[in-house]
Amino acid sequence: MKICAVFCVFVALALGSPVPLNTQQCECSAAARSLLSSLSHIMQKEGKMKHRDLFAGFNCTDLEAQMIPHTLTASVCQPSASDDKAACSSHRSSSFSEMECLTNIRADLRYYHVMLNSYKPSETDLSPVKTATKALMDCLDENCEATDGEFPQWLVWSGSSFTDRLSLCKALKGFHIRAVTVNRALGYIGSGEHRK
């Protein structure tokens, strides 16, 4: 299952824009692309000490991604197995639920929103990601039906600047992977393929 998820991420990145531009429902694809772009930009930082970069002193790209385990976004937002063109794996046995997918996306976004806003000191490097996260949350609230999901509170910051920046890097890498999933899911929802 993990191999399929990794494969889907690589395929999405290789194909360019993860969200089709011709979405018709749940018009949040521009906000989702903006979030993915902001996360991609921050993950490309080199961590130069003299510029006091967010990741100064370590190479963020060498660290593993930290995914949040409480949501099922990757599995519930996977297209139905009956849609041969869109399905990554035949492991999904139930039909696609737009409501369940959007609920999990909202829970992810709220979780990362809380995490980013709790990071002290609030780095200016995080501003575009915070803004894009909030914009996508607002767009989903205004344009898409879904219930609010539950999520645990963020309890990672230790107070040590270096340790907190390492944790932030890992969390942002996980958020970047999740943003790819969100882009693909909103593209699928917007295409209306699941309603056919």
Side-chain angles (χ1 to χ4, degrees):
M1 186 65 143
K2 287 182 181 181
I3 293 172
C4 179
V6 170
F7 177 74
C8 285
V9 169
F10 284 122
V11 168
L13 293 174
L15 294 176
S17 178
V19 177
L21 295 174
N22 61 341
T23 58
Q24 299 158 355
Q25 306 290 324
C26 192
E27 289 290 334
C28 294
S29 58
R33 279 192 304 275
S34 175
L35 175 59
L36 183 57
S37 175
S38 295
L39 283 162
S40 296
H41 179 73
I42 200 169
M43 296 312 300
Q44 293 172 354
K45 299 274 182 188
E46 293 183 18
K48 302 204 174 173
M49 292 297 281
K50 65 181 180 178
H51 296 108
R52 300 188 50 89
D53 284 342
L54 185 59
F55 303 131
F58 60 92
N59 187 350
C60 187
T61 58
D62 290 342
L63 300 175
E64 74 276 0
Q66 178 182 341
M67 302 300 292
I68 52 176
H70 70 276
T71 62
L72 303 171
T73 307
S75 61
V76 300
C77 292
Q78 181 177 340
S80 301
S82 63
D83 186 357
D84 295 330
K85 296 180 293 186
C88 173
S89 132
S90 60
H91 288 76
R92 183 164 172 81
S93 59
S94 61
S95 62
F96 179 82
S97 167
E98 181 176 340
M99 186 74 71
E100 189 177 5
C101 178
L102 290 171
T103 297
N104 277 272
I105 288 172
R106 278 198 171 110
D108 285 335
L109 291 173
R110 278 199 328 276
Y111 180 82
Y112 284 112
H113 179 71
V114 168
M115 182 269 300
L116 290 169
N117 286 315
S118 71
Y119 183 77
K120 303 294 182 213
S122 181
E123 298 285 338
T124 56
D125 285 342
L126 293 177
S127 254
V129 176
K130 288 180 182 181
T131 301
T133 302
K134 182 72 171 119
L136 182 53
M137 290 171 64
D138 291 345
C139 183
L140 289 172
D141 287 343
E142 292 171 16
N143 298 305
C144 306
E145 287 186 40
T147 58
D148 287 329
E150 295 295 320
F151 67 98
Q153 292 298 315
W154 182 261
L155 301 172
V156 169
W157 311 132
S158 69
S160 161
S161 173
F162 185 76
T163 303
D164 286 351
R165 289 185 301 116
L166 282 172
S167 294
L168 178 66
C169 166
K170 293 175 185 179
L172 286 173
K173 286 181 79 168
F175 192 16
H176 184 260
I177 292 168
R178 187 52 46 93
V180 171
T181 302
V182 167
N183 270 266
R184 291 177 56 80
L186 291 178
Y188 182 69
I189 290 168
S191 73
E193 287 291 319
H194 62 291
R195 293 187 187 100
K196 292 181 180 178

